[in-house]
């Protein structure tokens, strides 16, 4: 193989016999190698804290999370953006995933799309980024032209830009305002960054977006109280959360949830303060959506 300075492209020195391993050993190799993903994220916990701290005031001001990536990295961005709505009732228009090749690339490889730097810039410009927006640009290689184009367009528009890459010394760590290096090294299957590089990216994105949602009042204690109960599974979860938070019985929890249109946080405030749904909603609005502040308000 041609030498490549990017560690994610290197041949892993420890698994030359991968295709000859018995199944138990093969599975153990893949499982054990994922620990490198965890360690890579642990090493940059302070940087992730900086990302959340910088993004928070922008989101409080009404900004959006915009994700840009290609291949596995792009699909992870789509996943993170999509899951914010059912988990935290985050408006879908405020979580904008951009992937090289468009949404078709979520299920089918769009050849050459990641090499188009201008397409990345054009996709960003099409969503009209502003100074309150935050771009999370993800590429294992750190060199993907589509992602670099997205970063430069977002930065030119005044958005906060964050680069997440798995190789040191790459352009994606130089171009944005904040850089997150997830140094996972060579893959068990050489170059297959859907493995531990992708796992590290998933952990980092989970950490950033979840920490932001907690700081924005989407969680009370460790309960996802901004969730809306839209199916049988979530309705059961909503009842359990309301009962856990308030000590109410099953009937009271269900009644409050029905009056609150399935909104867990509103039902909790209603039951704990003995107020109706309008009063609970008003308290939450005054508290910026934070249940704990609403409950402690005079």
């Amino acid at each position: 193989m041609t030498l490549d300075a990017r560690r994610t492209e290197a041949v892993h020195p420890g698994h030359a016999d991968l295709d000859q391993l018995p199944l138990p050993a093969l599975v153990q190799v893949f499982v054990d190698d994922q620990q490198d993903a965890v360690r890579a994220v642990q090493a940059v916990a302070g940087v992730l804290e900086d990302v959340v701290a910088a993004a928070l005031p922008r989101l409080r001001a009404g900004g959006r999370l915009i994700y840009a990536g290609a291949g596995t990295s792009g699909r992870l961005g789509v996943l993170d953006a999509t899951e914010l709505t059912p988990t935290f009732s985050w408006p879908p228009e405020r979580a904008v995933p951009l992937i090289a090749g468009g949404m078709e690339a979520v299920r089918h490889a769009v050849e050459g799309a990641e090499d188009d730097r201008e397409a990345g810039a054009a996709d960003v410009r099409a969503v009209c980024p502003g100074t309150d927006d935050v771009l999370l640009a993800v590429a294992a290689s750190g060199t993907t032209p589509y992602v670099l184009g997205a970063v430069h367009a977002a930065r030119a528009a005044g958005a906060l830009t964050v680069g997440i890459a798995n190789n040191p010394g790459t352009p994606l760590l130089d171009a944005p305002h904040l850089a997150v290096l997830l140094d996972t090294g060579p893959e068990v299957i050489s170059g297959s960054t859907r493995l531990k590089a992708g796992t590290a990216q998933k952990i980092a994105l989970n950490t950033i977006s979840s920490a932001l949602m907690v700081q924005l009042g989407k969680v009370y204690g460790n309960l996802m109280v901004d969730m809306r109960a839209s199916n049988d599974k979530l309705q059961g979860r909503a009842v359990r959360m309301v009962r856990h938070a308030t000590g109410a019985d099953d009937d009271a929890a269900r009644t409050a949830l029905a009056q609150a249109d399935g909104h867990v946080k509103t039902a909790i405030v209603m039951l704990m303060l003995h107020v109706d749904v309008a009063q609970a909603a008003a308290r939450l609005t005054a508290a910026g959506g934070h249940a704990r502040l609403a409950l402690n308000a005079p």
Side-chain angles (χ1 to χ4, degrees):
M1 292 180 66
T2 303
L3 291 177
D4 191 310
R6 294 171 297 184
R7 283 165 51 76
T8 57
E9 294 297 315
V11 176
H12 198 297
H15 302 296
D17 61 346
L18 190 70
D19 61 339
Q20 297 178 305
L21 293 178
L23 182 57
L26 178 64
V27 170
Q28 196 64 51
V29 163
F30 283 115
V31 170
D32 289 347
D33 199 58
Q34 292 291 310
Q35 298 303 315
D36 286 344
V38 177
R39 286 189 283 267
V41 183
Q42 288 174 328
V44 296
V47 181
L48 297 179
E49 179 185 344
D50 292 341
V51 171
V52 174
L56 188 59
R58 291 167 170 83
L59 296 187
R60 281 181 173 148
R64 299 169 295 172
L65 287 170
I66 303 171
Y67 301 74
T72 295
S73 301
R75 295 180 190 106
L76 289 171
V78 172
L79 179 64
D80 200 70
T82 302
E83 290 183 340
L84 294 180
T85 299
T87 308
F88 301 110
S89 292
W90 187 250
E93 64 272 15
R94 293 183 65 192
V96 182
L98 304 175
I99 181 170
M103 283 301 144
E104 179 187 352
V106 173
R107 288 284 293 138
H108 304 283
V110 179
E111 299 300 334
E114 70 176 55
D115 298 326
D116 192 336
R117 185 184 181 107
E118 178 51 35
D123 283 355
V124 165
R125 288 194 293 265
V127 300
C128 302
T131 55
D132 290 330
D133 291 327
V134 179
L135 177 77
L136 300 175
V138 191
S141 68
T143 58
T144 306
Y146 175 90
V147 178
L148 293 171
V151 170
H152 285 285
R155 186 159 186 168
L160 174 69
T161 54
V162 180
I164 301 173
N166 297 82
N167 284 304
T170 47
L172 187 54
L173 300 178
D174 291 331
H177 295 97
L178 294 168
V180 180
L181 169 61
L182 304 173
D183 193 359
T184 45
E187 298 286 358
V188 169
I189 298 176
S190 302
S192 182
T193 53
R194 74 180 188 89
L195 298 174
K196 62 184 173 186
T199 299
Q201 292 171 5
K202 178 76 163 66
I203 297 170
L205 289 173
N206 269 347
T207 300
I208 292 167
S209 60
S210 298
L212 283 167
M213 294 300 115
V214 172
Q215 292 284 294
L216 290 167
K218 303 292 185 179
V219 173
Y220 173 58
N222 63 347
L223 304 177
M224 56 173 86
V225 293
D226 244 357
M227 180 197 80
R228 285 191 182 274
S230 57
N231 59 38
D232 288 344
K233 179 188 75 173
L234 295 181
Q235 286 169 4
R237 182 184 298 167
V239 171
R240 291 191 297 274
M241 284 195 289
V242 172
R243 292 190 61 178
H244 178 83
T246 67
D249 62 24
D250 194 79
D251 287 343
R254 290 182 184 277
T255 298
L257 280 166
Q259 294 172 350
D261 193 27
H263 191 212
V264 174
K265 185 160 59 175
T266 304
I268 289 172
V269 174
M270 289 169 63
L271 288 169
M272 292 188 73
L273 297 182
H274 306 289
V275 297
D276 63 25
V277 65
Q279 291 171 309
R283 282 179 174 266
L284 284 166
T285 298
H290 289 260
R292 193 173 298 279
L293 292 177
L295 292 170
N296 291 336

